[in-house]
Amino acid sequence: MTTARTDARRRPALRRLLTDPQAMVSASLLTVVVLLGLLAPALTDHGANQANLDAVNVGIGDHGYLLGGDKSGRDILARLLYSINTSVVSALIGASIALAIGITSGLIGGYFGRRVSGAAEWLFSLIMTFPGLLLLIILMPVTKGDYRATMVVFGVLLSPGIYRLVRNLVLGVKNELYVDAARVSGLPDRRILRRHVLTVVRGPVIIATAFLAGSSIAVQSGLAFLGLGSSTVPSFGAMISEGFTNLYEEPLQFLWPSLVLGIITASLVLLGNALRDALEGGRPQPVRIVTTTGYRPPAAEGDAVTKLLTVNDLAIAYPTPTGELKEVVSGVTLSVAAGETLGLVGESGSGKTQTAFAALGVLPAEAVVIRGSIRLDGRELLGLSERELRAVRGTSIAYVPQEPMSNLDPSCTVGAQLVEGVRAAMPMSRGEARKRVLALLARCGIPDPERTFRSYPHQISGGMAQRVLIAGAVAGRPLLLIADEPTTALDVTVQAEVLDLLRDLQKDLNMAVLLVTHNFGVVADICGRVAVMREGTVVETGTTEELFAVPKHPYTRGLLNSVLDETTLRTDPPAASADALETEKR
Amino acid sequence: MTVYLLRRLTAGLALAVLVTMITFLLLSTSFDDVAGSVLGNGAAPHQIAAQKAQMGLDRPVAVQYADWLAHAVRGDLGASYFTSEPVRSAITARLGVTLSIVVVALLATSVISVALGVAAAARGGAVDRFAQGAAMIGYVVPSLLVAIALVYVFAIKMHVFPATGYTDFSESPSRWAGSIAIPVVALMMGGVAGLTSQIRGAMIGELRKDYVRTLRTRGIPTHSIVLRHALRNAAGPALTVLSLEFLQMLGGALIIEQIFALPGFGQYAFNASLQGDVPIIMGISLFGVLLVVAVNLVVDLLGGWLNPKARMVR
Amino acid sequence: MSTVLEVGDLRVAYPGRGFRGRPHEVLHGVSLTVGQGETLGVVGESGSGKTTIGRSVLGLVAPSGGTVRFQGHDITRAGRKERRALARDIQVVFQDPYSSLNPGLTIGDILSEPLIVQGTAAGEARHRVAELLDQVGLPKNASQRLPREFSGGQRQRVAIARALAPAPRLIVCDEPVSALDLTTQARVLDLLVDIQRRTGVAYLFISHDLTVIRHVSHRVSVIHQGNIVETGPAGEVTTTPEHPYTQRLLLAAPVPDPTEQRRRREARQRL
């Protein structure tokens, strides 16, 4: 789904750029400034270094100096216009050197073997250790103060950034199966690089170019400000420096170059950001990890509450890009009795996980609950604040996720994560919590609890990680365990063991389990009752035996029929040779 | 751990040798000018040749470099061609000034960026708009102009801080703080912008991850999820950015010192470079690399402490 | 029945982590054969090395030992040029229909690219693309559309069409249906079987799912921790397996029948 979304953005990128005010304004400003620089000889009669002793510090319009003269009697306007050219040349040199080196080595380092990339990596980390500006300054005797030579060096100093960017992008694409498929199809490397790799690299490189140009201009002006470089080259830096010493008498002499330099660098940054938004989609939006308490269900009618969990007519929607709401769950009604296991079955996109998240109060912030109610042991959960929910979670309702690895904090030991959870559910000392966690790990079938306790998530296997998550979920002896595809990411042999564990724990703790799954085998193994979901609604509910024996709803029947039959075995012999077939056809 | 440290230190020293070697090689192309500038304007070619021979600059480059290195290892970095001031003591005397502003700016940048970035990512709304706006301004306005504007407003117009000059910390901590306040703020602008956006982005990425949801379902308080779990995971990439910011700030400090007339590394390097004072340039490149190596080592150690996986690879 | 693919004592080692990391062997001498028009199912769990077998046959990983022979020719260390020629005979269908199609190219481009590289004229390629789309049951106008406009099952049909484009002798199917919904799984498997009957192509069919394997395979090899532990006719291996690992694998897979599943579970727990 993510792939689909990024791609949807990519196509009309150009059109979006053309209608984006930020992009258009900054691009036009840049164009105007560059044109002014190019037209400098036509716009002013004076040279940048042509001094007229009568015109020292003259005011605006005096002596034919449109913006006045500086302290050496030179035309400020002429100097400004010619300084633009210096900046443009600096940007062109700095950016093109950085791009040429960075892209070439990035493509090579990313696409070809480890040895090549190792050498490139080493070289670029070396370049990266140079403090750039310091190096430019101490190399001044070598560059002889020529700003163009300086910019060549600066381009080299900027190249590691581009190299890293390109290499990482290429490494990313290289792992895409479509590049493997292209290689299997016999495409030469050249063609793969051009057609499949360069297209991915293009966008980010265009964005980076704007920033490269900006920093080249900034560094050139900074060096000129310091007085490094030839004094005959007109430059904003030199002008600002002169204006700075003359700040009290003639503040305008400082203002003009600062203004133009400011406009150029600001336009480049703004253009870069606009390009990023257009090519890579908007910047990520913040995530509030609290429950949105927008919807409060009306007070329950006085029906007797017999079930542990009752979901009634629940509807959840997400805003679409056009601003309308799209329902993903539309009127789900189901209930789980204390101590029973309910399977919630459906195909991907049927809304089963959204229903589970709603019961836990962990729907993404952008989700909107439109109507319905979720009651746990008679208490309405919808509309509770994060603080109130926190009291319910862990002790009354708990969660086992699908992907064991991504659901553990990678930089925290297993033990620390579990201890924190236990102490959040039941106040106790660290030592007590530790003992309890070790006992839980042992209970959940982990062979060496002490060792697992000390381990980081990446040091244990997927099956172990899922046991750890189950231990964390049952730590507070919850009344209801919501397990979302708890075995889908596991191998069959491990799946069987984890299902056994869940079954045992459920019996021991007498807890209810809401098991979200798409696998009818898992349902048959562990569930007492089943609810079948399709397109956001529950189409059929019944005991597992009934549902498998006599499915009532056509959709359930269809699903069960499409399950690959356990008894079907391929019986036809290997097919005849293709050549024989082809001759037959002719 | 000790093995790792030793390995990193050896690599750092090797890097210092390599960098100074390259610098020396590049500088050797301009030795004629160096001898010329020692003699002053209008020196005849034979005088320059004689001067070069006297300074030992006519020997093979490799020999000259080996000679420099042999002395450098013993802590002798030579003396300035022009003032005969010993390079090592001159640099260490000026290092304090530069390090004061860079280190203070780096620490302040980290604190402000973490606070802004985390608040923007986890709270959104007005805080987020403020953080993004501030970052944008930091990016857009050249720090050169910021520095001058700050001097104009706070020193020249309002007389809150001294416009130029430096007071040593040991002399008067409060005047020291006053003398570096504006330079530090000017130096921080770009860094805060970059690091805030980086932390905001990384935090948003972390907060969307599965483990955050799982921790929520255990009843763990939000502040613990944000600060103990998500921030710790987001801090790794931010550290890399911080070490790059250090390089940037070291460069920026050179310009800032010039504006505020601070007697630091920058001015010294700047004058030496204009004159072609080879011993000073070599000394500065050595100190520059050693500084970077030290900072990178600290950053790596911090990164290892934050990220157990990185620790394993070693 | 002549042999299309013959893998003998195949070993693959991945380079170790870091500078001096020791290589890590994932296949410890695997042998198998696939005959013309035959499907050999390779079943194993994650980390068993089953995907690596497929990738070595395709030339995407370099074996550290053993041989891969295609129609009698040794292709273990085939060069770039030889590989390009082999692309006509050996093709692939990957597991993930989302990452196996370049999101920026139209279906038509995706399907015609390998044909054009092999020297087919543009007009002829267009004709062949239409034929392929028809063969995998996709509408003709599909060729102007982008992958994102299609569902997972349809994308997998595109991937199958791409594999069929050069009329290959062997297709490596690496978990081709495990990313699909139940209802789609069966249809894609039927399509694969149907194509085999019509074209006589051979499949090296890799999966973790015994049920899927039974559905399409003539013969089955069971791989465990880099070794093949059992090979035989599909019926025997998947109903009365000899090796204890295969027995465990068989009993661990839950069946969609509560009564039968209870029996299986008890049998497994006794094991």
Side-chain angles (χ1 to χ4, degrees):
Chain A
M1 215 167 98
T2 18
T3 345
R5 240 187 295 144
T6 35
D7 183 47
R9 287 198 196 109
R10 195 174 298 155
R11 282 237 125 181
L14 191 67
R15 201 178 318 146
R16 261 206 317 281
L17 261 187
L18 290 174
T19 53
D20 176 15
Q22 185 179 330
M24 285 323 284
V25 170
S26 50
S28 341
L29 269 177
L30 281 175
T31 319
V32 169
V33 170
V34 171
L35 279 178
L36 282 175
L38 289 176
L39 295 176
L43 290 174
T44 168
D45 302 330
H46 309 278
N49 297 312
Q50 190 182 329
N52 179 353
L53 287 180
D54 295 338
V56 170
N57 291 339
V58 294
I60 288 179
D62 232 330
H63 283 76
Y65 286 2
L66 221 50
L67 295 177
D70 67 6
K71 64 175 182 185
S72 311
R74 291 170 295 188
D75 181 5
I76 293 184
L77 178 66
R79 285 184 68 70
L80 274 183
L81 294 178
Y82 285 105
S83 297
I84 293 175
N85 293 341
T86 309
S87 292
V88 172
V89 171
S90 307
L92 286 179
I93 297 179
S96 49
I97 296 272
L99 290 177
I101 300 180
I103 294 178
T104 324
S105 44
L107 285 178
I108 294 172
Y111 191 74
F112 295 102
R114 300 207 315 168
R115 211 170 305 155
V116 185
S117 62
E121 184 63 24
W122 184 82
L123 189 70
F124 282 107
S125 353
L126 181 74
I127 297 179
M128 268 184 143
T129 9
F130 291 118
L133 209 59
L134 184 64
L135 190 79
L136 291 181
I137 290 177
I138 61 177
L139 284 184
M140 209 45 80
V142 179
T143 52
K144 310 261 190 282
D146 187 335
Y147 78 97
R148 285 164 300 190
T150 309
M151 282 301 118
V152 171
V153 179
F154 188 62
V156 174
L157 291 176
L158 282 176
S159 62
I162 301 295
Y163 162 76
R164 294 253 157 105
L165 175 78
V166 172
R167 186 206 49 182
N168 290 344
L169 287 167
V170 174
L171 282 179
V173 199
K174 206 179 146 190
N175 290 334
E176 292 283 353
L177 287 172
Y178 64 78
V179 170
D180 278 342
R183 286 165 71 189
V184 172
S185 296
L187 263 63
D189 286 333
R190 240 176 320 110
R191 197 180 163 100
I192 295 179
L193 275 174
R194 199 177 63 227
R195 200 166 162 100
H196 296 284
V197 178
L198 262 184
T199 44
V200 175
V201 175
R202 201 172 46 198
V205 165
I206 293 175
I207 297 163
T209 307
F211 295 107
L212 288 178
S215 39
S216 301
I217 292 175
V219 160
Q220 194 275 328
S221 347
L223 289 172
F225 177 85
L226 291 179
L228 290 168
S230 164
S231 55
T232 57
V233 174
S235 153
F236 294 123
M239 291 184 76
I240 291 172
S241 168
E242 285 157 17
F244 184 48
T245 56
N246 217 3
L247 192 62
Y248 302 103
E249 293 85 39
E250 301 289 339
L252 276 182
Q253 290 182 8
F254 171 74
L255 188 68
W256 291 121
S258 308
L259 195 67
V260 182
L261 177 64
I263 289 176
I264 296 177
T265 48
S267 303
L268 279 170
V269 171
L270 293 175
L271 181 65
N273 280 333
L275 283 169
R276 173 172 298 152
D277 289 352
L279 293 172
E280 292 179 349
R283 262 159 288 174
Q285 287 308 303
V287 255
R288 298 199 51 135
I289 52 161
V290 290
T291 319
T292 32
T293 46
Y295 174 77
R296 267 172 205 286
E301 304 113 54
D303 53 346
V305 180
T306 47
K307 299 282 191 155
L308 178 65
L309 177 78
T310 328
V311 176
N312 196 12
D313 194 28
L314 176 72
I316 304 166
Y318 281 85
T320 55
T322 52
E324 296 150 47
L325 287 176
K326 184 176 183 296
E327 275 189 31
V328 292
V329 173
S330 23
V332 162
T333 299
L334 57 83
S335 60
V336 186
E340 84 164 339
T341 302
L342 175 77
L344 188 55
V345 201
E347 294 194 285
S348 54
S350 60
K352 48 193 197 302
T353 296
Q354 295 298 317
T355 307
F357 282 174
L360 288 157
V362 293
L363 281 171
E366 57 269 28
V368 185
V369 174
I370 301 176
R371 59 173 193 276
S373 102
I374 301 175
R375 268 176 290 159
L376 182 70
D377 222 4
R379 185 183 187 196
E380 180 60 56
L381 293 182
L382 288 179
L384 288 189
S385 71
E386 186 75 9
R387 180 184 292 272
E388 289 165 315
L389 274 172
R390 213 177 290 147
V392 179
R393 292 182 190 139
T395 47
S396 299
I397 190 167
Y399 167 67
V400 176
Q402 170 171 1
E403 276 294 335
M405 278 309 173
S406 68
N407 278 285
L408 288 167
D409 179 351
S411 54
C412 221
T413 60
V414 164
Q417 301 185 42
L418 293 185
V419 164
E420 193 181 4
V422 166
R423 295 184 67 200
M426 291 163 287
M428 61 172 81
S429 76
R430 221 167 260 281
E432 278 176 279
R434 186 190 145 87
K435 256 182 236 144
R436 193 172 160 76
V437 165
L438 285 173
L440 270 170
L441 288 175
R443 174 66 191 85
C444 289
I446 285 169
D448 187 350
E450 287 277 355
R451 206 178 120 184
T452 306
F453 189 92
R454 284 192 312 269
S455 300
Y456 286 96
H458 67 273
Q459 295 168 316
I460 59 177
S461 71
M464 280 301 139
Q466 193 61 299
R467 287 171 193 272
V468 166
L469 282 160
I470 292 174
V474 300
R477 295 186 155 263
L479 304 172
L480 171 68
L481 181 73
I482 296 184
D484 183 10
E485 304 265 11
T487 58
T488 308
L490 306 175
D491 279 325
V492 267
T493 46
V494 182
Q495 162 172 292
E497 291 163 16
V498 167
L499 288 175
D500 286 349
L501 173 64
L502 279 175
R503 195 186 351 263
D504 288 355
L505 285 170
Q506 189 232 356
K507 234 174 265 158
D508 283 7
L509 303 171
N510 191 29
M511 68 184 174
V513 177
L514 174 65
L515 187 109
V516 175
T517 183
H518 70 278
N519 186 330
F520 277 104
V522 171
V523 171
D525 186 65
I526 197 171
C527 296
R529 284 197 315 130
V530 193
V532 181
M533 272 191 83
R534 178 206 183 188
E535 288 169 11
T537 53
V538 173
V539 296
E540 179 169 4
T541 315
T543 67
T544 307
E545 272 80 10
E546 274 170 17
L547 192 111
F548 278 101
V550 273
K552 291 192 203 80
H553 197 278
Y555 178 72
T556 316
R557 275 201 296 273
L559 263 186
L560 281 171
N561 280 337
S562 67
V563 172
L564 293 176
D565 198 338
E566 181 65 14
T567 47
T568 315
L569 184 67
R570 186 162 177 188
T571 44
D572 62 319
S577 104
D579 301 332
L581 276 177
E582 263 167 41
T583 23
E584 230 170 83
K585 228 168 32 182
R586 272 165 204 159
Chain B
M1 194 60 200
T2 351
V3 176
Y4 169 71
L5 267 178
L6 275 176
R7 250 178 46 203
R8 286 299 306 257
L9 280 177
T10 329
L13 287 180
L15 188 71
V17 171
L18 201 70
V19 169
T20 50
M21 200 192 318
I22 295 171
T23 312
F24 197 82
L25 221 90
L26 290 171
L27 281 176
S28 67
T29 59
S30 63
F31 280 170
D32 280 347
D33 301 347
V34 170
S37 73
V38 169
L39 287 171
N41 280 341
H46 72 273
Q47 286 175 303
I48 291 180
Q51 180 67 26
K52 269 181 81 178
Q54 198 206 325
M55 293 165 81
L57 293 179
D58 58 339
R59 292 173 294 162
V61 179
V63 175
Q64 291 188 52
Y65 177 73
D67 191 36
W68 177 86
L69 191 63
H71 282 95
V73 169
R74 277 174 270 146
D76 172 15
L77 294 177
S80 159
Y81 285 162
F82 298 90
T83 64
S84 304
E85 190 188 6
V87 171
R88 195 181 63 158
S89 58
I91 290 181
T92 41
R94 287 165 171 88
L95 204 58
V97 183
T98 305
L99 280 187
S100 288
I101 58 171
V102 171
V103 169
V104 172
L106 202 65
L107 289 178
T109 302
S110 328
V111 171
I112 295 176
S113 304
V114 166
L116 261 183
V118 169
R123 303 214 152 235
V127 186
D128 186 35
R129 280 193 295 277
F130 172 75
Q132 290 206 59
M136 185 54 87
I137 292 172
Y139 271 131
V140 163
V141 186
S143 54
L144 183 65
L145 301 183
V146 174
I148 293 174
L150 288 173
V151 174
Y152 191 74
V153 174
F154 287 102
I156 296 172
K157 288 278 164 195
M158 294 168 66
H159 302 286
V160 184
F161 298 111
T164 55
Y166 177 75
T167 311
D168 201 73
F169 184 81
S170 54
E171 220 171 281
S172 157
S174 64
R175 279 180 37 217
W176 169 80
S179 69
I180 64 165
I182 308 183
V184 162
V185 172
L187 201 53
M188 276 168 52
M189 295 290 289
V192 170
L195 199 58
T196 304
S197 324
Q198 157 68 35
I199 290 179
R200 175 184 179 272
M203 279 298 289
I204 289 176
E206 285 303 321
L207 289 175
R208 285 184 190 278
K209 285 195 177 161
D210 289 347
Y211 72 82
V212 167
R213 181 172 48 230
T214 302
L215 288 172
R216 281 178 74 192
T217 65
R218 303 248 176 87
I220 291 170
T222 312
H223 66 84
S224 169
I225 296 179
V226 172
L227 297 177
R228 281 188 54 179
H229 298 278
L231 179 59
R232 189 176 175 154
N233 284 302
L239 268 179
T240 318
V241 174
L242 194 68
S243 73
L244 292 177
E245 299 281 5
F246 171 75
L247 284 181
Q248 290 256 320
M249 285 186 184
L250 203 59
L254 306 182
I255 295 181
I256 298 285
E257 283 172 8
Q258 197 73 8
I259 297 176
F260 295 91
L262 295 174
F265 216 48
Q267 271 200 333
Y268 188 56
F270 174 66
N271 292 328
S273 162
L274 280 185
Q275 295 175 312
D277 204 335
V278 176
I280 300 185
I281 296 179
M282 290 304 292
I284 283 173
S285 85
L286 177 67
F287 268 85
V289 176
L290 289 181
L291 261 182
V292 173
V293 167
V295 168
N296 282 348
L297 187 62
V298 171
V299 164
D300 273 10
L301 289 178
L302 272 176
W305 172 70
L306 285 168
N307 179 359
K309 239 186 205 165
R311 227 177 299 161
M312 293 297 294
V313 175
R314 286 166 198 166
Chain C
M1 183 181 75
S2 63
T3 303
V4 175
L5 179 75
E6 194 180 348
V7 173
D9 195 31
L10 181 70
R11 289 170 184 276
V12 174
Y14 287 118
R17 264 212 208 155
F19 181 54
R20 264 166 297 192
R22 205 170 288 165
H24 167 65
E25 195 174 77
V26 290
L27 290 181
H28 319 294
V30 162
S31 302
L32 50 84
T33 58
V34 186
Q36 189 138 46
E38 184 198 36
T39 302
L40 174 73
V42 176
V43 67
E45 295 189 297
S46 56
S48 62
K50 58 186 191 300
T51 293
T52 306
I53 300 180
R55 292 182 71 84
S56 339
V57 170
L58 293 165
L60 295 173
V61 275
S64 50
T67 52
V68 179
R69 298 172 83 81
F70 178 75
Q71 294 191 326
H73 302 288
D74 188 345
I75 59 162
T76 323
R77 277 168 195 84
R80 273 168 209 275
K81 214 169 175 188
E82 209 178 329
R83 271 285 157 204
R84 216 169 300 153
L86 276 172
R88 261 172 243 177
D89 293 323
I90 307 180
Q91 276 296 326
V92 65
V93 177
F94 286 116
Q95 166 176 9
D96 185 352
Y98 292 88
S99 108
S100 71
L101 306 178
N102 187 337
L105 298 181
T106 62
I107 303 301
D109 283 341
I110 290 172
L111 294 181
S112 59
E113 185 167 42
L115 293 170
I116 288 169
V117 172
Q118 299 281 4
T120 314
E124 202 181 318
R126 212 173 310 126
H127 183 71
R128 175 84 177 128
V129 166
E131 203 175 272
L132 287 167
L133 287 174
D134 183 54
Q135 211 172 348
V136 297
L138 284 174
K140 274 203 178 55
N141 66 7
S143 65
Q144 277 99 47
R145 285 151 68 187
L146 289 167
R148 68 182 146 94
E149 297 172 57
F150 295 90
S151 69
Q154 287 172 316
R155 286 173 189 228
Q156 206 57 315
R157 283 170 193 267
V158 174
I160 292 171
R162 172 175 58 193
L164 288 175
R169 296 299 177 90
L170 171 72
I171 298 180
V172 175
C173 302
D174 188 0
E175 301 263 15
V177 296
S178 49
L180 305 180
D181 264 329
L182 286 178
T183 38
T184 337
Q185 273 195 2
R187 268 180 259 143
V188 170
L189 289 179
D190 288 343
L191 174 69
L192 283 170
V193 169
D194 182 50
I195 286 170
Q196 185 170 55
R197 285 199 194 114
R198 273 188 287 151
T199 64
V201 65
Y203 293 142
L204 178 64
F205 193 101
I206 297 158
S207 178
H208 70 282
D209 190 336
L210 261 179
T211 320
V212 168
I213 288 278
R214 289 166 66 91
H215 217 81
V216 293
S217 308
H218 298 106
R219 287 186 308 123
V220 175
S221 287
V222 183
I223 180 165
H224 182 49
Q225 293 175 354
N227 290 304
I228 287 192
V229 296
E230 185 167 3
T231 300
E236 285 170 28
V237 175
T238 61
T239 44
T240 52
E242 279 171 20
H243 197 276
Y245 173 72
T246 319
Q247 289 167 5
R248 253 192 299 149
L249 204 61
L250 186 65
L251 290 175
V255 286
D257 175 345
T259 334
E260 166 66 12
Q261 174 57 21
R262 191 172 308 126
R263 199 192 57 73
R264 270 203 184 195
R265 185 168 70 228
E266 280 152 11
R268 173 172 57 80
Q269 282 163 347
R270 272 197 305 275
L271 204 75

